[in-house]
Amino acid sequence: MQADELTTLGAREVTPVDGGVAFSGSFAQCYAANLESRVASRVLWQVGETGYRGEHDLFEAARALAWPRHFDVRRTIRVNVSAIQSPVKSLDFVTLRVKDAVCDAFRAACGSRPDVDTARPDVRIHVFLTRDRATFYLDTSGDPLFKRGWRARTGDAPLRENLAAGILRLTQWAAPTPLYDPMCGSGTFLVEAAMMALDVAPGAGRSFAFEKLENFEVRQWQALGEKARARRKAATTLPIHGSDKSGTVLGLARANLEAAGLGQAIRIKQMDILDGAAPASSGILVANPPYGERQADKNELAELYPKLGNVLKQRYAGWTAYLFTADMQLAKLIGLKASKRTPLYNGALECRLFEYRLVAGSMRRPKSVDS
Ligand SMILES: C[S@@+](CC[C@H](N)C(=O)[O-])C[C@H]1O[C@@H](n2cnc3c(N)ncnc32)[C@H](O)[C@@H]1O
């Protein structure tokens, strides 16, 4: 989650931490963070923190927390444990012990225990271990926040919605500047951009785990939902364009646009970027070009990337192009000088967002090599 998203919601003590941003705030702000964040994966509520030496301490610490106050015994649970430099031997064993501790706490409080459901739990409990500290969280999101509810089916390697939204923020695109994804695949950039332009709350079409917690304030949540619906702009034609050379993936993109209520707002067409012209005289081009794992793909891409560079140079003067890739040979082969390279992670995979300012006649790169 980005710190500025939280500050906008009025959260306090907003502090970047490893893998995220910590904040203090009310439950209404927690609901709003889930509803409004375009870039977060989850919002976790810290319910306990302790020093520990081993598995036994973790069991005792988990047993002492007020789980029965937080959720009903009929809710199903799942425990996730992750660790950095922890002395414990097995995270699976800690997972089991924390689950036992939670069940013991319920048995003592109400005579029965919650069931475990690892596939679709009502309540997810996260435990993070460092060398000597353990932090316990209740997950207020449930399904990760990149699941907005608009994706009809997934195509080949779609970008995660929150990563696409984060990249769009880095491009600083805003309507009415034209936006074009010429390799749009299932349409992730297109849908996320449209949701930004129409001020659609990214979580408006889904449910959240906080609705299953005992302290859930349905009125507060309904009020937030109503406010979000009221500010949403009508889906008129947007300056957002998409194309792809594959008719099959365009079918997916169409289904996704329809599911997001954007079928009329965004034009997409089947086109090879090497064959077509820019949809406007200037704008922001954003794409996640194909990348190859097999050698045959790599050979094909080694032909595509220089051609892509030529097309951008010849037909997109006046545009700024942002190419997001895990394939560092793209930077070398495209033959354009990047004005910016932003390292980003797609899960564990290190990627780059390359920015190319396309100006007529001046873009050939000198002999030095970008990476
Ligand atoms: C990594 S995928 C993009 C995924 C997309 N960002 C999404 O979220 O679904 C790359 C896409 O580039 C398309 N593509 C490959 N070569 C192309 C070309 N020469 N012109 C247009 N599209 C192309 C492929 O069909 C594929 O859909």
Side-chain angles (χ1 to χ4, degrees):
M1 183 151 204
Q2 285 197 324
D4 60 343
E5 287 187 319
L6 286 164
T7 314
T8 310
L9 300 176
R12 298 186 313 276
E13 297 166 74
V14 176
T15 323
V17 292
D18 263 358
V21 180
F23 70 102
S24 301
S26 62
F27 276 96
Q29 281 162 339
C30 165
Y31 304 164
N34 276 291
L35 176 65
E36 302 288 354
S37 176
R38 298 192 191 279
V39 300
S41 295
R42 299 185 172 282
V43 181
L44 304 180
W45 170 26
Q46 184 178 323
V47 293
E49 200 202 0
T50 180
Y52 80 101
R53 291 222 186 108
E55 288 83 351
H56 180 72
D57 294 346
L58 293 170
F59 178 89
E60 292 299 329
R63 174 67 183 78
L65 293 173
W67 304 107
R69 255 201 1 238
H70 297 322
F71 59 92
D72 190 275
V73 68
R74 285 162 296 187
R75 299 294 186 191
T76 56
I77 61 168
R78 173 186 172 138
V79 177
N80 282 81
V81 180
S82 52
I84 299 172
Q85 295 183 329
S86 166
V88 301
K89 288 201 188 69
S90 157
L91 295 189
D92 284 345
F93 184 61
V94 174
T95 307
L96 209 64
R97 292 305 283 150
V98 170
K99 185 267 292 172
D100 287 345
V102 175
C103 290
D104 270 15
F106 271 98
R107 265 197 219 95
C110 62
S112 57
R113 52 154 282 186
D115 287 333
V116 170
D117 181 345
T118 50
R120 295 208 54 78
D122 295 320
V123 175
R124 289 175 167 86
I125 295 164
H126 296 267
V127 186
F128 286 115
L129 305 177
T130 62
R131 199 168 45 78
D132 55 1
R133 294 207 75 73
T135 317
F136 297 87
Y137 298 93
L138 277 169
D139 185 334
T140 68
S141 303
D143 277 339
L145 296 179
F146 67 78
K147 295 196 177 177
R148 321 280 208 217
W150 60 255
R151 199 178 281 287
R153 283 169 295 148
T154 48
D156 270 356
L159 270 188
R160 282 194 176 169
E161 292 77 346
N162 56 344
L163 180 56
I167 291 169
L168 286 167
R169 287 176 73 121
L170 289 170
T171 72
Q172 299 190 333
W173 172 79
T177 301
L179 182 87
Y180 179 35
D181 180 353
M183 298 175 155
C184 70
S186 64
T188 316
F189 281 126
L190 309 178
V191 176
E192 288 298 315
M195 287 171 76
M196 287 161 73
L198 299 173
D199 210 0
V200 178
R206 54 164 281 168
S207 58
F208 296 95
F210 60 70
E211 296 169 55
K212 295 177 176 167
L213 297 178
E214 286 296 284
N215 63 4
F216 177 48
E217 293 276 354
V218 68
R219 287 227 185 96
Q220 280 184 356
W221 173 229
Q222 282 169 346
L224 284 169
E226 274 159 29
K227 250 168 102 178
R229 274 188 291 281
R231 69 165 204 242
R232 180 186 174 139
K233 297 177 193 147
T236 48
T237 308
L238 291 166
I240 299 175
H241 311 264
S243 57
D244 198 287
K245 76 170 186 185
S246 156
T248 315
V249 299
L250 276 180
L252 279 181
R254 282 209 178 87
N256 286 333
L257 291 172
E258 286 298 334
L262 299 164
Q264 303 302 314
I266 298 178
R267 282 151 307 235
I268 54 175
K269 63 176 179 186
Q270 189 170 2
M271 188 183 99
D272 188 319
I273 186 174
L274 303 181
D275 297 337
S281 59
S282 66
I284 300 284
L285 181 150
V286 64
N288 167 214
Y291 53 91
E293 270 149 32
R294 291 176 304 139
Q295 192 53 45
D297 298 335
K298 284 198 171 123
N299 296 344
E300 213 174 286
L301 294 174
E303 281 187 32
L304 172 68
Y305 292 154
K307 289 183 190 158
L308 179 60
N310 280 336
V311 164
L312 291 178
K313 179 177 173 280
Q314 286 159 11
R315 298 184 215 149
Y316 288 84
W319 287 69
T320 304
Y322 291 87
L323 301 183
F324 175 72
T325 185
D327 189 342
M328 298 309 154
Q329 72 161 350
L330 178 140
K332 297 192 175 85
L333 294 173
I334 199 163
L336 301 173
K337 183 164 170 49
S339 42
K340 211 187 264 177
R341 301 168 198 82
T342 310
L344 292 171
Y345 280 87
N346 187 2
L349 192 63
E350 191 182 343
C351 301
R352 292 275 186 287
L353 180 66
F354 293 101
E355 178 193 84
Y356 301 101
R357 292 220 186 88
L358 301 162
V359 183
S362 68
M363 284 303 296
R364 292 317 295 186
R365 191 181 51 179
K367 283 207 172 63
S368 72
V369 171
D370 284 320
S371 60

